[in-house]
Amino acid sequence: VATLAVSTMAQADATLDKIEARHKLVVGVLLSGGPFGSIDPSNQKAKGLNVDLAEDLGRRLGAEVELVPVLPANRVQFLQQGKVDLLIANMEWTPERGQILGSVPTPFYRVGGTAAVLKDSKITTWQDLKGQPVCTSQGSSYVKPLTEFGADIKAFKSSSESLLALRGNNCVAAVHDSTLINPLIANNPEWKDYRAISPELNPAPSVIWTRQGETDTQAKLDAIVKDWHRTGFLIEGEKRHNITPASP
C-alpha cells in the first residue's frame, strides 16, 4: 500500500512536468454535437466551449494543445491509461466518478439531462419512462437515475447513435445533456416533431477531470478556472456558442 501511495504521488507530480517538458497538453474532448463540442462541417475542425477551454489552458500553460476525441464509453479509460492528460468531455461530477478519478475543484458549468420525445408522446414526466425503452450513452451519469425510474436502458457508444435510434423508433426517449437536446429541438428542422421534458434530470457541476492523486495539476488548473469566472471568460464563451448560462 505504501508503495502504491508513493507511485500515485509521483504520478501527480509527473503530469505537469510532462506537459512542460514536451510543450504539449493532450485533452480528451467529446465532439458528438452541440455547443460544447462538435466538428465544424465547413473545415472539419473541432469547435465548441470545451474546445475553447482546452485551448486556453494550453495558452496559459505555454503548451501546444492536442485534442483527442473521446466517447462516453471510453473517456474514463483514455484518462486512466494516460492517453490524455485531462478530460473536458461533458462529464459532470458524481460521487461514483469521484471515487475513480480526480477533478479540478471549481466547476466551469452546471448541467442536467433532458429527454427528447415525440411531440405526440404521452410521456410528460420522468416517471412516465417506467418500463419504456430509453436511449442514452454508455457511461452516462443518467443511466442510474433512469434505472431507478424503471426505464429499460438502451446504451449506445455515442449520443449521435442514441439520437439516431430514437428517430428510428427503437426507443421512446433519448436522454442526454440539456445543452445538447434543447438547441437541437429549437434550431434543427429535422427535430421539429420532437419536444423536451423537464425539469432537468440530476443537474450536476461540469468539471475538468484528472487522474486520482494529481493534486498539483488540480491546484494549477483550479486557479485558471477561478480566473475564467472572475474575468468573464466563461460568460463570453457561453454567449459565443449560444449556451444558456448555467443555473446556480
Side-chain angles (χ1 to χ4, degrees), residues 189-204:
E190 294 182 0
W191 289 86
K192 61 182 177 60
D193 295 327
Y194 292 82
R195 57 178 170 81
I197 65 173
S198 58
E200 287 191 353
L201 181 66
N202 279 29

Side-chain angles (χ1 to χ4, degrees), residues 33-97:
F36 279 80
S38 62
I39 298 295
D40 189 334
S42 67
N43 56 22
Q44 297 304 304
K45 291 184 178 180
K47 66 175 184 177
L49 182 62
N50 289 346
V51 175
D52 291 354
L53 300 186
E55 295 288 355
D56 194 65
L57 287 181
R59 182 181 65 81
R60 291 170 183 255
L61 295 175
E64 175 190 352
V65 175
E66 178 183 343
L67 299 176
V68 176
V70 297
L71 296 171
N74 64 21
R75 55 192 173 187
V76 172
Q77 289 77 11
F78 269 47
L79 182 57
Q80 290 177 325
Q81 294 168 5
K83 295 180 179 179
V84 298
D85 299 320
L86 311 168
L87 281 179
I88 311 179
N90 297 43
M91 187 169 153
E92 286 67 52
W93 190 91
T94 65
E96 294 80 11
R97 288 171 174 166

